[in-house]
Amino acid sequence: MYTYETANRSMASDRVIELLRKAYSDEIETVMNYQTNAIVLDGVRAEEIKESLQTDIQEELGHAEMLGQRLKQLDAQPPGSAEFVARQDSLQPPEDSTNVSAVIRGVLEAEDDAIDTYRELVDAAREANDPVTEDLAVTILTDEEAHRTEFRGFEKEYQTT
Ligand SMILES: [Fe+2]
Ligand SMILES: [Fe+2]
């Protein structure tokens, strides 16, 4: 029987799919920009940031994998490059390759953005009565908050030196 509640539930599931696909694209874009910046940055002071970016790249790639597998379980697909729209203006490699602060600011913006998306996904999954996606979103959210904390620490260090 098709009820008002069923209609609501399926609208909520559509929103879950949409957010999973958006999060997947964002993770892939983050991998690209973290990788580029980890290569581009120069100088002794950049070493720690580059190392941290390299570690995060693996984690962000792992997030994309988990999101893609969840999409498949929900009979959907992660997007390919033809659907891709670049959004991370602030994470473009800096003209001055020693400008570590610019990269730190870009990373913080990307992590804030990811945190917003996963919080939205937690809410949408709960509304759609999809505890598996909700749990996945909470797990990834935990990682993104840890990334943000780490880069907030770098930000403090670079403000005072
Ligand atoms: Fe991520
Ligand atoms: Fe992250």
Side-chain angles (χ1 to χ4, degrees):
M1 194 174 63
Y2 195 76
T3 60
Y4 181 70
E5 203 178 306
T6 318
N8 260 351
R9 178 75 44 86
S10 96
M11 267 167 61
S13 309
D14 288 351
R15 181 70 184 140
V16 167
I17 302 281
E18 191 187 319
L19 283 167
L20 281 167
R21 287 169 58 86
K22 176 187 187 288
Y24 180 91
S25 283
D26 289 351
E27 294 288 357
I28 298 291
E29 188 176 11
T30 301
V31 167
M32 184 173 187
N33 285 324
Y34 284 10
Q35 177 70 79
T36 296
N37 283 302
I39 291 167
V40 164
L41 283 179
D42 279 316
V44 181
R45 301 178 71 211
E47 282 312 311
E48 201 180 0
I49 308 295
K50 290 167 70 145
E51 225 168 89
S52 175
L53 286 173
Q54 287 294 1
T55 307
D56 289 355
I57 288 161
Q58 298 310 318
E59 289 196 25
E60 312 298 15
L61 203 52
H63 295 161
E65 165 82 25
M66 291 190 277
L67 295 162
Q69 294 296 349
R70 184 62 190 145
L71 278 161
K72 187 168 180 163
Q73 288 167 353
L74 295 172
D75 277 324
Q77 284 183 345
S81 62
E83 283 180 66
F84 181 76
V85 182
R87 300 192 311 116
Q88 294 177 342
D89 290 336
S90 58
L91 259 181
Q92 301 311 301
E95 232 167 275
D96 170 2
S97 65
T98 64
N99 191 351
V100 179
S101 299
V103 174
I104 293 171
R105 278 194 302 274
V107 169
L108 282 172
E109 209 172 290
E111 297 295 345
D112 277 336
D113 198 62
I115 286 162
D116 287 347
T117 300
Y118 290 115
R119 293 188 77 96
E120 249 184 274
L121 184 56
V122 169
D123 291 344
R126 192 173 300 155
E127 208 167 310
N129 195 25
D130 176 352
V132 175
T133 301
E134 187 181 339
D135 184 62
L136 174 66
V138 170
T139 300
I140 301 179
L141 180 60
T142 308
D143 289 345
E144 308 301 9
E145 288 198 359
H147 294 163
R148 181 171 67 181
T149 301
E150 188 179 25
F151 274 82
R152 275 183 176 166
F154 291 141
E155 189 187 34
K156 273 187 207 151
E157 197 182 325
Y158 280 84
Q159 269 164 358
T160 53
T161 51

mmCIF file of all heavy atoms in Angstrom, residues 15-30 67 71 77-79 83-85 87-88 110 112-118 120-121:
data_model
loop_
_atom_site.group_PDB
_atom_site.id
_atom_site.type_symbol
_atom_site.label_atom_id
_atom_site.label_comp_id
_atom_site.label_asym_id
_atom_site.label_seq_id
_atom_site.Cartn_x
_atom_site.Cartn_y
_atom_site.Cartn_z
ATOM 1 N N ARG A 15 17.296 11.550 -0.975
ATOM 2 C CA ARG A 15 18.208 12.542 -0.386
ATOM 3 C C ARG A 15 19.493 11.844 0.107
ATOM 4 O O ARG A 15 20.596 12.385 -0.053
ATOM 5 C CB ARG A 15 17.480 13.256 0.773
ATOM 6 C CG ARG A 15 18.280 14.317 1.456
ATOM 7 C CD ARG A 15 18.494 15.540 0.575
ATOM 8 N NE ARG A 15 19.355 16.526 1.232
ATOM 9 C CZ ARG A 15 20.295 17.227 0.614
ATOM 10 N NH1 ARG A 15 20.507 17.067 -0.677
ATOM 11 N NH2 ARG A 15 21.015 18.098 1.276
ATOM 12 N N VAL A 16 19.350 10.651 0.654
ATOM 13 C CA VAL A 16 20.516 9.889 1.120
ATOM 14 C C VAL A 16 21.438 9.566 -0.059
ATOM 15 O O VAL A 16 22.655 9.762 0.007
ATOM 16 C CB VAL A 16 20.079 8.591 1.848
ATOM 17 C CG1 VAL A 16 21.245 7.637 2.049
ATOM 18 C CG2 VAL A 16 19.450 8.928 3.200
ATOM 19 N N ILE A 17 20.849 9.099 -1.158
ATOM 20 C CA ILE A 17 21.634 8.766 -2.359
ATOM 21 C C ILE A 17 22.357 10.011 -2.879
ATOM 22 O O ILE A 17 23.551 9.975 -3.198
ATOM 23 C CB ILE A 17 20.722 8.204 -3.496
ATOM 24 C CG1 ILE A 17 19.952 6.966 -3.030
ATOM 25 C CG2 ILE A 17 21.512 7.944 -4.776
ATOM 26 C CD1 ILE A 17 20.703 5.679 -3.003
ATOM 27 N N GLU A 18 21.619 11.114 -2.947
ATOM 28 C CA GLU A 18 22.179 12.374 -3.443
ATOM 29 C C GLU A 18 23.390 12.806 -2.590
ATOM 30 O O GLU A 18 24.443 13.190 -3.117
ATOM 31 C CB GLU A 18 21.063 13.426 -3.380
ATOM 32 C CG GLU A 18 21.343 14.735 -4.076
ATOM 33 C CD GLU A 18 20.213 15.743 -3.779
ATOM 34 O OE1 GLU A 18 19.019 15.356 -3.772
ATOM 35 O OE2 GLU A 18 20.551 16.915 -3.534
ATOM 36 N N LEU A 19 23.242 12.707 -1.282
ATOM 37 C CA LEU A 19 24.335 13.113 -0.389
ATOM 38 C C LEU A 19 25.514 12.145 -0.452
ATOM 39 O O LEU A 19 26.674 12.562 -0.385
ATOM 40 C CB LEU A 19 23.823 13.243 1.052
ATOM 41 C CG LEU A 19 23.022 14.508 1.355
ATOM 42 C CD1 LEU A 19 22.288 14.375 2.701
ATOM 43 C CD2 LEU A 19 23.921 15.749 1.365
ATOM 44 N N LEU A 20 25.234 10.853 -0.603
ATOM 45 C CA LEU A 20 26.321 9.869 -0.744
ATOM 46 C C LEU A 20 27.133 10.164 -2.006
ATOM 47 O O LEU A 20 28.366 10.100 -2.001
ATOM 48 C CB LEU A 20 25.765 8.446 -0.806
ATOM 49 C CG LEU A 20 25.341 7.783 0.516
ATOM 50 C CD1 LEU A 20 24.519 6.525 0.243
ATOM 51 C CD2 LEU A 20 26.553 7.444 1.386
ATOM 52 N N ARG A 21 26.422 10.515 -3.096
ATOM 53 C CA ARG A 21 27.106 10.804 -4.361
ATOM 54 C C ARG A 21 27.897 12.110 -4.275
ATOM 55 O O ARG A 21 29.024 12.205 -4.769
ATOM 56 C CB ARG A 21 26.095 10.863 -5.509
ATOM 57 C CG ARG A 21 25.574 9.467 -5.903
ATOM 58 C CD ARG A 21 24.379 9.534 -6.849
ATOM 59 N NE ARG A 21 24.679 10.252 -8.078
ATOM 60 C CZ ARG A 21 25.235 9.711 -9.169
ATOM 61 N NH1 ARG A 21 25.534 8.424 -9.183
ATOM 62 N NH2 ARG A 21 25.479 10.434 -10.229
ATOM 63 N N LYS A 22 27.333 13.105 -3.614
ATOM 64 C CA LYS A 22 28.031 14.379 -3.425
ATOM 65 C C LYS A 22 29.291 14.149 -2.574
ATOM 66 O O LYS A 22 30.385 14.626 -2.918
ATOM 67 C CB LYS A 22 27.115 15.390 -2.725
ATOM 68 C CG LYS A 22 27.812 16.700 -2.406
ATOM 69 C CD LYS A 22 26.931 17.620 -1.564
ATOM 70 C CE LYS A 22 27.576 18.990 -1.399
ATOM 71 N NZ LYS A 22 28.743 18.950 -0.486
ATOM 72 N N ALA A 23 29.133 13.397 -1.499
ATOM 73 C CA ALA A 23 30.261 13.143 -0.599
ATOM 74 C C ALA A 23 31.367 12.389 -1.345
ATOM 75 O O ALA A 23 32.554 12.669 -1.175
ATOM 76 C CB ALA A 23 29.796 12.351 0.622
ATOM 77 N N TYR A 24 30.970 11.455 -2.201
ATOM 78 C CA TYR A 24 31.941 10.686 -2.991
ATOM 79 C C TYR A 24 32.768 11.623 -3.877
ATOM 80 O O TYR A 24 34.003 11.564 -3.897
ATOM 81 C CB TYR A 24 31.189 9.640 -3.825
ATOM 82 C CG TYR A 24 32.068 8.769 -4.681
ATOM 83 C CD1 TYR A 24 32.560 7.557 -4.199
ATOM 84 C CD2 TYR A 24 32.390 9.142 -5.987
ATOM 85 C CE1 TYR A 24 33.364 6.747 -4.983
ATOM 86 C CE2 TYR A 24 33.193 8.340 -6.782
ATOM 87 C CZ TYR A 24 33.672 7.143 -6.276
ATOM 88 O OH TYR A 24 34.470 6.352 -7.072
ATOM 89 N N SER A 25 32.070 12.515 -4.608
ATOM 90 C CA SER A 25 32.766 13.483 -5.481
ATOM 91 C C SER A 25 33.709 14.370 -4.681
ATOM 92 O O SER A 25 34.836 14.647 -5.108
ATOM 93 C CB SER A 25 31.758 14.408 -6.171
ATOM 94 O OG SER A 25 31.137 13.741 -7.211
ATOM 95 N N ASP A 26 33.224 14.843 -3.540
ATOM 96 C CA ASP A 26 34.051 15.719 -2.700
ATOM 97 C C ASP A 26 35.307 14.991 -2.232
ATOM 98 O O ASP A 26 36.394 15.580 -2.198
ATOM 99 C CB ASP A 26 33.261 16.187 -1.467
ATOM 100 C CG ASP A 26 32.160 17.183 -1.823
ATOM 101 O OD1 ASP A 26 32.119 17.644 -2.986
ATOM 102 O OD2 ASP A 26 31.341 17.491 -0.939
ATOM 103 N N GLU A 27 35.172 13.721 -1.869
ATOM 104 C CA GLU A 27 36.339 12.949 -1.405
ATOM 105 C C GLU A 27 37.373 12.829 -2.534
ATOM 106 O O GLU A 27 38.570 12.982 -2.313
ATOM 107 C CB GLU A 27 35.923 11.555 -0.927
ATOM 108 C CG GLU A 27 35.057 11.534 0.320
ATOM 109 C CD GLU A 27 35.789 11.897 1.617
ATOM 110 O OE1 GLU A 27 37.013 12.130 1.597
ATOM 111 O OE2 GLU A 27 35.112 11.946 2.653
ATOM 112 N N ILE A 28 36.887 12.556 -3.748
ATOM 113 C CA ILE A 28 37.794 12.402 -4.885
ATOM 114 C C ILE A 28 38.497 13.729 -5.193
ATOM 115 O O ILE A 28 39.704 13.760 -5.465
ATOM 116 C CB ILE A 28 37.022 11.887 -6.136
ATOM 117 C CG1 ILE A 28 36.404 10.506 -5.868
ATOM 118 C CG2 ILE A 28 37.918 11.867 -7.366
ATOM 119 C CD1 ILE A 28 37.380 9.359 -5.724
ATOM 120 N N GLU A 29 37.742 14.829 -5.126
ATOM 121 C CA GLU A 29 38.361 16.144 -5.363
ATOM 122 C C GLU A 29 39.387 16.451 -4.275
ATOM 123 O O GLU A 29 40.467 17.005 -4.550
ATOM 124 C CB GLU A 29 37.297 17.249 -5.424
ATOM 125 C CG GLU A 29 37.899 18.587 -5.854
ATOM 126 C CD GLU A 29 36.879 19.714 -6.029
ATOM 127 O OE1 GLU A 29 35.708 19.551 -5.624
ATOM 128 O OE2 GLU A 29 37.276 20.761 -6.578
ATOM 129 N N THR A 30 39.070 16.077 -3.042
ATOM 130 C CA THR A 30 39.996 16.289 -1.932
ATOM 131 C C THR A 30 41.282 15.501 -2.151
ATOM 132 O O THR A 30 42.387 16.023 -1.939
ATOM 133 C CB THR A 30 39.335 15.892 -0.598
ATOM 134 O OG1 THR A 30 38.157 16.685 -0.420
ATOM 135 C CG2 THR A 30 40.265 16.105 0.582
ATOM 136 N N LEU A 67 31.839 4.955 0.631
ATOM 137 C CA LEU A 67 30.634 5.616 0.117
ATOM 138 C C LEU A 67 30.159 4.928 -1.163
ATOM 139 O O LEU A 67 28.965 4.692 -1.354
ATOM 140 C CB LEU A 67 30.923 7.092 -0.170
ATOM 141 C CG LEU A 67 31.254 7.969 1.046
ATOM 142 C CD1 LEU A 67 31.930 9.263 0.605
ATOM 143 C CD2 LEU A 67 30.009 8.257 1.864
ATOM 144 N N LEU A 71 26.639 3.025 -1.864
ATOM 145 C CA LEU A 71 25.765 3.365 -2.990
ATOM 146 C C LEU A 71 25.365 2.103 -3.743
ATOM 147 O O LEU A 71 24.209 1.904 -4.110
ATOM 148 C CB LEU A 71 26.473 4.355 -3.936
ATOM 149 C CG LEU A 71 26.413 5.827 -3.492
ATOM 150 C CD1 LEU A 71 27.486 6.648 -4.190
ATOM 151 C CD2 LEU A 71 25.024 6.413 -3.765
ATOM 152 N N GLN A 77 24.857 4.187 -8.002
ATOM 153 C CA GLN A 77 26.261 4.165 -8.426
ATOM 154 C C GLN A 77 26.975 5.437 -8.012
ATOM 155 O O GLN A 77 26.365 6.509 -8.018
ATOM 156 C CB GLN A 77 26.334 4.101 -9.958
ATOM 157 C CG GLN A 77 26.019 2.753 -10.531
ATOM 158 C CD GLN A 77 26.181 2.736 -12.043
ATOM 159 O OE1 GLN A 77 26.254 3.798 -12.677
ATOM 160 N NE2 GLN A 77 26.251 1.568 -12.622
ATOM 161 N N PRO A 78 28.277 5.329 -7.719
ATOM 162 C CA PRO A 78 29.037 6.567 -7.532
ATOM 163 C C PRO A 78 29.233 7.242 -8.889
ATOM 164 O O PRO A 78 29.213 6.570 -9.918
ATOM 165 C CB PRO A 78 30.368 6.084 -6.948
ATOM 166 C CG PRO A 78 30.487 4.654 -7.315
ATOM 167 C CD PRO A 78 29.097 4.122 -7.528
ATOM 168 N N PRO A 79 29.379 8.574 -8.903
ATOM 169 C CA PRO A 79 29.529 9.282 -10.183
ATOM 170 C C PRO A 79 30.897 9.058 -10.825
ATOM 171 O O PRO A 79 31.884 8.801 -10.130
ATOM 172 C CB PRO A 79 29.367 10.753 -9.774
ATOM 173 C CG PRO A 79 29.748 10.810 -8.333
ATOM 174 C CD PRO A 79 29.391 9.483 -7.749
ATOM 175 N N GLU A 83 30.306 13.614 -14.651
ATOM 176 C CA GLU A 83 29.362 14.337 -13.789
ATOM 177 C C GLU A 83 30.069 15.268 -12.821
ATOM 178 O O GLU A 83 29.424 15.969 -12.038
ATOM 179 C CB GLU A 83 28.561 13.335 -12.945
ATOM 180 C CG GLU A 83 27.458 12.630 -13.672
ATOM 181 C CD GLU A 83 26.746 11.678 -12.724
ATOM 182 O OE1 GLU A 83 26.106 12.135 -11.769
ATOM 183 O OE2 GLU A 83 26.867 10.465 -12.934
ATOM 184 N N PHE A 84 31.383 15.236 -12.855
ATOM 185 C CA PHE A 84 32.145 15.932 -11.823
ATOM 186 C C PHE A 84 32.116 17.457 -11.984
ATOM 187 O O PHE A 84 32.293 17.978 -13.077
ATOM 188 C CB PHE A 84 33.595 15.439 -11.846
ATOM 189 C CG PHE A 84 34.443 16.087 -10.805
ATOM 190 C CD1 PHE A 84 34.352 15.701 -9.477
ATOM 191 C CD2 PHE A 84 35.313 17.107 -11.146
ATOM 192 C CE1 PHE A 84 35.121 16.318 -8.507
ATOM 193 C CE2 PHE A 84 36.084 17.728 -10.176
ATOM 194 C CZ PHE A 84 35.985 17.334 -8.859
ATOM 195 N N VAL A 85 31.864 18.154 -10.894
ATOM 196 C CA VAL A 85 31.938 19.621 -10.875
ATOM 197 C C VAL A 85 32.919 20.027 -9.782
ATOM 198 O O VAL A 85 32.722 19.692 -8.610
ATOM 199 C CB VAL A 85 30.555 20.248 -10.569
ATOM 200 C CG1 VAL A 85 30.636 21.770 -10.598
ATOM 201 C CG2 VAL A 85 29.507 19.750 -11.548
ATOM 202 N N ARG A 87 34.739 22.139 -6.991
ATOM 203 C CA ARG A 87 34.205 23.127 -6.051
ATOM 204 C C ARG A 87 35.262 23.716 -5.111
ATOM 205 O O ARG A 87 35.030 24.701 -4.449
ATOM 206 C CB ARG A 87 33.077 22.493 -5.208
ATOM 207 C CG ARG A 87 31.911 21.977 -6.051
ATOM 208 C CD ARG A 87 30.682 21.615 -5.224
ATOM 209 N NE ARG A 87 31.004 20.782 -4.086
ATOM 210 C CZ ARG A 87 30.834 21.147 -2.812
ATOM 211 N NH1 ARG A 87 30.338 22.318 -2.524
ATOM 212 N NH2 ARG A 87 31.158 20.330 -1.836
ATOM 213 N N GLN A 88 36.436 23.064 -5.040
ATOM 214 C CA GLN A 88 37.400 23.477 -4.011
ATOM 215 C C GLN A 88 38.356 24.581 -4.478
ATOM 216 O O GLN A 88 39.566 24.377 -4.576
ATOM 217 C CB GLN A 88 38.194 22.247 -3.534
ATOM 218 C CG GLN A 88 37.305 21.240 -2.813
ATOM 219 C CD GLN A 88 38.050 19.974 -2.404
ATOM 220 O OE1 GLN A 88 39.123 19.680 -2.928
ATOM 221 N NE2 GLN A 88 37.482 19.229 -1.472
ATOM 222 N N ALA A 110 38.000 22.715 3.348
ATOM 223 C CA ALA A 110 37.539 21.423 2.804
ATOM 224 C C ALA A 110 37.023 20.519 3.917
ATOM 225 O O ALA A 110 35.993 19.840 3.759
ATOM 226 C CB ALA A 110 38.678 20.740 2.047
ATOM 227 N N ASP A 112 35.835 21.482 6.893
ATOM 228 C CA ASP A 112 34.578 22.050 7.395
ATOM 229 C C ASP A 112 33.418 21.658 6.487
ATOM 230 O O ASP A 112 32.339 21.304 6.945
ATOM 231 C CB ASP A 112 34.654 23.591 7.446
ATOM 232 C CG ASP A 112 35.324 24.084 8.714
ATOM 233 O OD1 ASP A 112 35.320 23.337 9.719
ATOM 234 O OD2 ASP A 112 35.851 25.207 8.712
ATOM 235 N N ASP A 113 33.695 21.745 5.192
ATOM 236 C CA ASP A 113 32.683 21.413 4.204
ATOM 237 C C ASP A 113 32.280 19.933 4.315
ATOM 238 O O ASP A 113 31.095 19.588 4.280
ATOM 239 C CB ASP A 113 33.277 21.703 2.824
ATOM 240 C CG ASP A 113 32.219 21.822 1.771
ATOM 241 O OD1 ASP A 113 31.389 22.732 1.905
ATOM 242 O OD2 ASP A 113 32.211 20.989 0.840
ATOM 243 N N ALA A 114 33.289 19.070 4.462
ATOM 244 C CA ALA A 114 33.022 17.633 4.596
ATOM 245 C C ALA A 114 32.211 17.366 5.866
ATOM 246 O O ALA A 114 31.250 16.579 5.853
ATOM 247 C CB ALA A 114 34.343 16.857 4.630
ATOM 248 N N ILE A 115 32.567 18.049 6.951
ATOM 249 C CA ILE A 115 31.850 17.870 8.219
ATOM 250 C C ILE A 115 30.371 18.244 8.049
ATOM 251 O O ILE A 115 29.478 17.509 8.480
ATOM 252 C CB ILE A 115 32.538 18.680 9.344
ATOM 253 C CG1 ILE A 115 33.833 17.953 9.744
ATOM 254 C CG2 ILE A 115 31.619 18.886 10.550
ATOM 255 C CD1 ILE A 115 34.833 18.789 10.514
ATOM 256 N N ASP A 116 30.106 19.351 7.354
ATOM 257 C CA ASP A 116 28.712 19.751 7.091
ATOM 258 C C ASP A 116 27.980 18.674 6.301
ATOM 259 O O ASP A 116 26.836 18.327 6.612
ATOM 260 C CB ASP A 116 28.670 21.057 6.278
ATOM 261 C CG ASP A 116 29.059 22.267 7.115
ATOM 262 O OD1 ASP A 116 29.123 22.129 8.360
ATOM 263 O OD2 ASP A 116 29.305 23.341 6.530
ATOM 264 N N THR A 117 28.636 18.159 5.263
ATOM 265 C CA THR A 117 27.989 17.145 4.418
ATOM 266 C C THR A 117 27.664 15.878 5.226
ATOM 267 O O THR A 117 26.570 15.326 5.117
ATOM 268 C CB THR A 117 28.892 16.775 3.222
ATOM 269 O OG1 THR A 117 29.131 17.953 2.460
ATOM 270 C CG2 THR A 117 28.238 15.726 2.328
ATOM 271 N N TYR A 118 28.627 15.413 6.050
ATOM 272 C CA TYR A 118 28.370 14.179 6.804
ATOM 273 C C TYR A 118 27.339 14.391 7.908
ATOM 274 O O TYR A 118 26.572 13.472 8.213
ATOM 275 C CB TYR A 118 29.688 13.578 7.320
ATOM 276 C CG TYR A 118 30.495 13.037 6.154
ATOM 277 C CD1 TYR A 118 31.717 13.589 5.797
ATOM 278 C CD2 TYR A 118 29.969 12.022 5.360
ATOM 279 C CE1 TYR A 118 32.419 13.132 4.693
ATOM 280 C CE2 TYR A 118 30.659 11.559 4.244
ATOM 281 C CZ TYR A 118 31.882 12.118 3.921
ATOM 282 O OH TYR A 118 32.554 11.660 2.818
ATOM 283 N N GLU A 120 24.808 16.373 7.559
ATOM 284 C CA GLU A 120 23.563 16.334 6.791
ATOM 285 C C GLU A 120 23.180 14.894 6.462
ATOM 286 O O GLU A 120 22.009 14.520 6.492
ATOM 287 C CB GLU A 120 23.766 17.095 5.473
ATOM 288 C CG GLU A 120 23.006 18.396 5.359
ATOM 289 C CD GLU A 120 23.197 19.011 3.984
ATOM 290 O OE1 GLU A 120 24.213 19.731 3.809
ATOM 291 O OE2 GLU A 120 22.378 18.752 3.092
ATOM 292 N N LEU A 121 24.211 14.100 6.119
ATOM 293 C CA LEU A 121 23.959 12.691 5.774
ATOM 294 C C LEU A 121 23.453 11.911 6.990
ATOM 295 O O LEU A 121 22.565 11.062 6.858
ATOM 296 C CB LEU A 121 25.234 12.057 5.197
ATOM 297 C CG LEU A 121 25.126 10.611 4.695
ATOM 298 C CD1 LEU A 121 24.031 10.450 3.633
ATOM 299 C CD2 LEU A 121 26.475 10.131 4.135
#
